[in-house]
Amino acid sequence: MGKYLIINADDFGVSKSVNEAIIDLLNKNKISSATLMPNVNYYDEAAKWAVENSSNIGLHLTFLNDDTKFKYRSLSRSKSLEDENGYLLDDRRKFSKSLKLRDIKKEIDMQFKKLEDSGVKISHVDIHRYALYPTYNPIVYLYLCKKCRQKGRLPIRWSRNGEVSVCDGITNLCDTDNIAKFFSAVSDLYQIPIPDYVFKFPYRDIFFSYDEKKEAFINMLRKLPDGINEVHIHPAINSEEIKQINPTWKERVLEYSFMLDNDVTDAMKENNIELITYKDIAKINKGKSRIEAIKELFRYGINYSIKGVKSVFLRVKK
C-alpha cells in the first residue's frame, strides 16, 4: 500500500474568517475536506457554499464550547448538555459527568438532520474537541457507528493504529495501540470506513511561528507511514473578526498561510503522498469482515478490559 493523506479542516461555519480560509484551501485543492459545525453563527453561509460547491463536507458533531467569544447552544436544548446560562459546556470532564445517553442520541440525530435539511450530503463524521471520544463513552460510539451505517456507511474519524511518532508535538488521535484496534474492530463490525492513522496538528501552545509550523508539517509528511493517514487543521484568514473572537487566532492564521506554501506541496510530491478524501477510504481499504471484526473484538477487548481493571485497582490502592 502507498502513502495516502486526508487533510481535513475542522470548525467550518464557526466564523467568516474560518469559512473564507477553508473555502480558499478547498478551491485550491490544498486540503481534502472540511467538517461543518451545525450550531454556530456562520453555519448558513458554510452550508450554502457546501451544497453548491463540494461533496467533501462532513459533520463536525459539536457538544462543547471552547475559548472563543462566540458561545453555542445545543440544537435539542437538552439541559444535560448545557450550563446554567443555556450554553454548551466548555469543560470535557463536566460534559462526561453530566452526559445522558438519551439526550446525546437526540442531539446527534438533530445535528445530522440539520445538515441534511440544508442539502449537505455528509461525506464523513468527526467530533469537535473529541467530546465523544470512544473511551469516554463506548456506548455512544456504538450508537454513532450504527447511525453512520444507516446513513450509507459514512466514514468516521478514528484510527486503526496508535503509538506512531511522526514529529515531536504532533500526537496520535489514540496513543494506545490496543485501544485503537479495539474500537477499529467496533467500526469494522458496523462496516464503517476509518483511516489507518490519525494525527492531531496542534493549533495552540506549540509551533508558534510560521517556520515552526511549516517545518513540523513537512517533518510529519516525511515520516508518514504507509497506509491511509488523516491530519486535521484549524485554518483562518487574518482579519479583525478572528482577532477579536479567538485567542488562538495567530496559530490559525499561520495554519492557513503555510498550507498555501509551495514547500508543503513539494514535500507531498517528494514523499509520494497522494491527497485523498474520506470517501476514498472504502476504495483503498475494504476493512475487516464482520467475522474478523468479532474475533478482534474478543482479542483486543480482553486486553482492554484487563487494563481497565488494573487502572481501577491502582487508583483504589493509592
Side-chain angles (χ1 to χ4, degrees):
M1 183 181 287
K3 292 184 180 181
Y4 302 96
L5 179 62
I6 299 165
I7 305 175
N8 190 84
D10 290 6
D11 296 354
F12 198 25
V14 76
S15 69
K16 288 186 72 67
S17 306
V18 168
N19 285 358
E20 287 184 38
I22 290 174
I23 288 170
D24 189 47
L25 292 173
L26 283 169
N27 281 336
K28 292 175 178 174
N29 296 315
K30 297 295 184 180
I31 59 175
S32 310
S33 54
T35 34
L36 178 56
M37 302 171 78
N39 46 357
V40 292
N41 294 348
Y42 290 89
Y43 167 86
D44 290 339
E45 175 188 278
K48 183 176 185 296
W49 183 88
V51 171
E52 296 173 354
N53 296 280
S54 180
S55 60
N56 290 304
I57 303 299
L59 168 59
H60 199 48
L61 286 167
T62 305
F63 294 90
L64 288 171
N65 269 308
D66 45 40
D67 53 4
T68 65
K69 290 185 179 179
F70 290 161
K71 297 299 176 186
Y72 317 108
R73 305 178 190 276
S74 65
L75 297 183
S76 60
R77 301 311 313 275
S78 299
K79 290 185 178 180
S80 67
L81 302 178
E82 297 179 341
D83 62 19
E84 63 276 9
N85 297 312
Y87 294 105
L88 291 173
L89 298 166
D90 57 11
D91 187 297
R92 193 184 296 117
R93 291 182 181 179
K94 287 183 181 179
F95 168 76
S96 297
K97 288 179 180 178
S98 68
L99 186 149
K100 292 182 179 179
L101 186 59
R102 180 186 67 252
D103 293 343
I104 287 291
K105 287 181 176 180
K106 182 178 180 181
E107 183 67 20
I108 288 173
D109 291 347
M110 291 185 72
Q111 292 195 21
F112 266 89
K113 188 174 186 299
K114 181 162 184 180
L115 265 70
E116 292 168 345
D117 288 349
S118 297
V120 178
K121 294 181 180 179
I122 301 170
S123 59
H124 60 290
V125 178
D126 57 37
I127 301 161
H128 183 58
R129 293 190 60 199
Y130 319 109
L132 298 179
Y133 198 72
T135 52
Y136 298 156
N137 197 309
I139 301 301
V140 174
Y141 189 70
L142 286 172
Y143 181 75
L144 183 57
C145 286
K146 180 181 178 182
K147 184 80 176 178
C148 287
R149 179 177 169 81
Q150 292 171 345
K151 297 296 181 180
R153 298 177 183 171
L154 294 176
I156 295 176
R157 176 187 285 162
W158 183 249
S159 175
R160 292 191 178 279
N161 303 280
E163 303 174 0
V164 177
S165 176
V166 289
C167 177
D168 289 343
I170 300 178
T171 57
N172 298 274
L173 178 63
C174 180
D175 57 7
T176 305
D177 203 52
N178 190 85
I179 293 174
K181 286 180 165 52
F182 175 76
F183 286 105
S184 296
V186 172
S187 307
D188 286 329
L189 190 64
Y190 286 91
Q191 298 179 302
I192 300 300
I194 58 173
D196 296 314
Y197 306 92
V198 176
F199 301 106
K200 301 189 286 187
F201 192 82
Y203 65 91
R204 65 171 73 226
D205 302 328
I206 193 170
F207 308 145
F208 296 104
S209 72
Y210 180 91
D211 288 339
E212 285 177 324
K213 278 188 172 289
K214 187 179 79 168
E215 183 180 357
F217 198 87
I218 290 175
N219 283 338
M220 178 197 71
L221 295 177
R222 289 173 180 150
K223 295 182 180 179
L224 215 60
D226 286 352
I228 301 170
N229 300 270
E230 193 255 37
V231 62
H232 37 289
I233 62 173
H234 301 79
I237 65 162
N238 195 349
S239 69
E240 287 304 313
E241 178 207 41
I242 198 69
K243 291 177 183 178
Q244 290 175 11
I245 67 171
N246 199 307
T248 60
W249 67 269
K250 288 182 181 178
E251 289 90 339
R252 290 174 179 261
V253 169
L254 290 176
E255 285 191 18
Y256 166 64
S257 300
F258 84 72
M259 286 306 302
L260 294 170
D261 197 307
N262 288 333
D263 288 347
V264 172
T265 305
D266 292 342
M268 293 272 290
K269 293 176 182 176
E270 290 167 6
N271 291 278
N272 299 312
I273 298 168
E274 182 179 348
L275 187 67
I276 64 168
T277 69
Y278 264 94
K279 291 189 295 185
D280 294 321
I281 295 176
K283 302 173 190 174
I284 299 168
N285 185 352
K286 301 296 182 184
K288 302 244 179 10
S289 69
R290 285 189 163 183
I291 293 175
E292 290 175 313
I294 291 170
K295 289 179 181 177
E296 296 215 335
L297 277 173
F298 280 104
R299 177 185 174 188
Y300 294 108
I302 290 172
N303 292 334
Y304 183 35
S305 300
I306 290 173
K307 286 183 179 179
V309 170
K310 280 183 178 178
S311 68
V312 171
F313 174 75
L314 289 172
R315 285 200 299 271
V316 171
K317 196 174 180 180
K318 287 179 181 179

